[in-house]
Amino acid sequence: MMKAPPSSCLLLGAPLALLLVVVFVLPSLRPPKLGSDGPGAVCGRRATTTNVAAVAPPQDLEPEISLLIGILTTPSRRERRDIVRMAYALQPPPARARVDVRFVFCNVTNPVDAALVALEIRRHGDVVVLDCAENMNDGKTYAYLSSVPRLFASAPYDYVMKADDDTYLRVAALVEELRGKPRGDLYLGRGFPVGDDPAPFMHGMGYVVSWDVAEWVSGNEEILRNNEMRGHEDRLLGKWLNAGGRGKNRYNLKPRMYDVHWDVDNFWPDTVAVHRLKDNRRWAAVFRYFNVTAGIAPSNLYHLP
């Protein structure tokens, strides 16, 4: 049975809060995996999270590396989340790694969305709801990164990732990129060049920071004092780190992280991340290229091309 957090921590908007009071006291459909144990503060407020490990280690061995992937999304994109969940569930698990995938929302205020998100929490347990107004470039990434050290303080990760919900990550390839990298002061992604600087910030499709960098963001009061949470979130993170002299262990994974174009034929065999999968046609092209749908057993119950 999942442990119910204190009622004072369920600041998710009245509709979702009422549903979660019921959701959290019922038995889980599967036991919770290693992850967070409860709520934590976000900018002086509270947030709620549930536990699930999306990509578990293949053996009962102590993980050598741990990674939290936070996929920033909105309540109405339910079909997209279903696609992304299946995409990661069908990938081979990385060796000796603990990888947890969470879908990150701000407050869910619409009663219909609240009911359906509550079902997702009940079934999948992979949702984090932050106490902020839903947005893309108005502080949501700051709310996420600044909340992680508190939300997951009982089981910290080596690395924390922010990803878009139109990005397909090849998790094992990403883990192997991280495995030999420093566990401190790391900033990794697809570098965005400005002038003579090849990577003053990483593209918002997905970037990774080490746990200490997330802690630094969480404790940096100047970001709040100077109201520097609003604007293009990927550029802002680079600005914070550059101003604070952080993220010095910087790794540019271009061209292994890239945007897909309309022809959907420009994939790379050693891909780490593909971005701009804005419709099902593009997701299907990715799945075909990387053989995600291969290996379906023959059956007279279906006939697929």
Side-chain angles (χ1 to χ4, degrees):
M1 179 178 293
M2 296 183 67
K3 186 180 297 183
S7 59
S8 62
C9 298
L10 294 173
L11 301 182
L12 309 178
L16 186 54
L18 291 174
L19 284 162
L20 292 186
V21 169
V22 177
V23 167
F24 276 111
V25 298
L26 292 174
S28 176
L29 292 177
R30 57 182 176 182
K33 304 293 194 302
L34 183 61
S36 69
D37 292 321
V42 181
C43 306
R45 297 170 292 183
R46 310 296 291 180
T48 295
T49 181
T50 54
N51 299 331
V52 66
V55 185
Q59 302 124 342
D60 293 329
L61 300 173
E62 188 69 22
E64 297 174 338
I65 184 173
S66 58
L67 169 66
L68 171 68
I69 301 173
I71 300 173
L72 273 59
T73 185
T74 59
S76 62
R77 294 181 180 174
R78 285 176 287 277
E79 182 183 18
R80 175 72 55 78
R81 287 192 295 281
D82 286 341
I83 291 172
V84 173
R85 283 189 181 105
M86 288 188 291
Y88 294 145
L90 292 174
Q91 289 189 27
R96 301 291 298 274
R98 168 193 166 211
V99 181
D100 292 347
V101 179
R102 302 291 204 277
F103 292 94
V104 181
F105 305 90
C106 285
N107 283 323
V108 184
T109 56
N110 179 282
V112 174
D113 286 338
L116 297 175
V117 169
L119 287 178
E120 290 184 63
I121 293 173
R122 181 66 182 88
R123 178 64 185 90
H124 301 290
D126 58 1
V127 168
V128 175
V129 179
L130 305 174
D131 187 20
C132 51
E134 193 59 72
N135 69 91
M136 183 173 69
N137 287 314
D138 199 21
K140 183 174 181 177
T141 296
Y142 172 77
Y144 165 64
L145 288 176
S146 65
S147 72
V148 162
R150 300 182 181 97
L151 288 172
F152 302 98
S154 63
Y157 296 85
D158 297 317
Y159 303 105
V160 177
M161 183 174 200
K162 173 265 170 185
D164 289 345
D165 67 358
D166 62 343
T167 296
Y168 176 67
L169 292 169
R170 299 181 73 206
V171 177
L174 175 61
V175 167
E176 291 310 309
E177 274 289 340
L178 290 169
R179 196 180 297 275
K181 301 290 191 296
R183 302 293 171 93
D185 208 26
L186 176 136
Y187 184 28
L188 176 147
R190 176 189 169 96
F192 197 101
V194 176
D196 295 332
D197 190 338
F201 66 91
M202 302 297 172
H203 195 292
M205 69 171 72
Y207 45 75
V208 180
V209 298
S210 50
W211 182 263
D212 64 307
V213 172
E215 288 183 316
W216 178 82
V217 171
S218 180
N220 190 336
E221 296 181 357
E222 288 189 12
I223 297 174
L224 286 173
R225 186 163 52 246
N226 298 333
N227 196 26
E228 293 184 340
M229 298 90 67
R230 293 171 175 83
H232 293 290
E233 52 89 16
D234 47 4
R235 299 183 185 184
L236 283 176
L237 178 60
K239 178 182 178 181
W240 303 336
L241 299 185
N242 295 335
R246 302 307 300 261
K248 292 181 179 178
N249 294 316
R250 200 162 293 200
Y251 299 92
N252 185 354
L253 296 192
K254 183 180 178 179
R256 299 185 67 198
M257 300 178 71
Y258 54 89
D259 289 339
V260 69
H261 301 296
W262 286 108
D263 56 14
V264 296
D265 288 329
N266 60 328
F267 301 120
W268 294 74
D270 63 346
T271 293
V272 169
V274 183
H275 182 232
R276 296 186 64 82
L277 304 179
K278 301 292 187 182
D279 54 46
N280 289 352
R281 181 178 68 92
R282 295 189 183 190
W283 280 98
V286 166
F287 294 156
R288 286 193 298 268
Y289 182 84
F290 293 109
N291 296 318
V292 176
T293 57
I296 297 177
S299 173
N300 60 2
L301 298 178
Y302 45 77
H303 305 279
L304 298 174

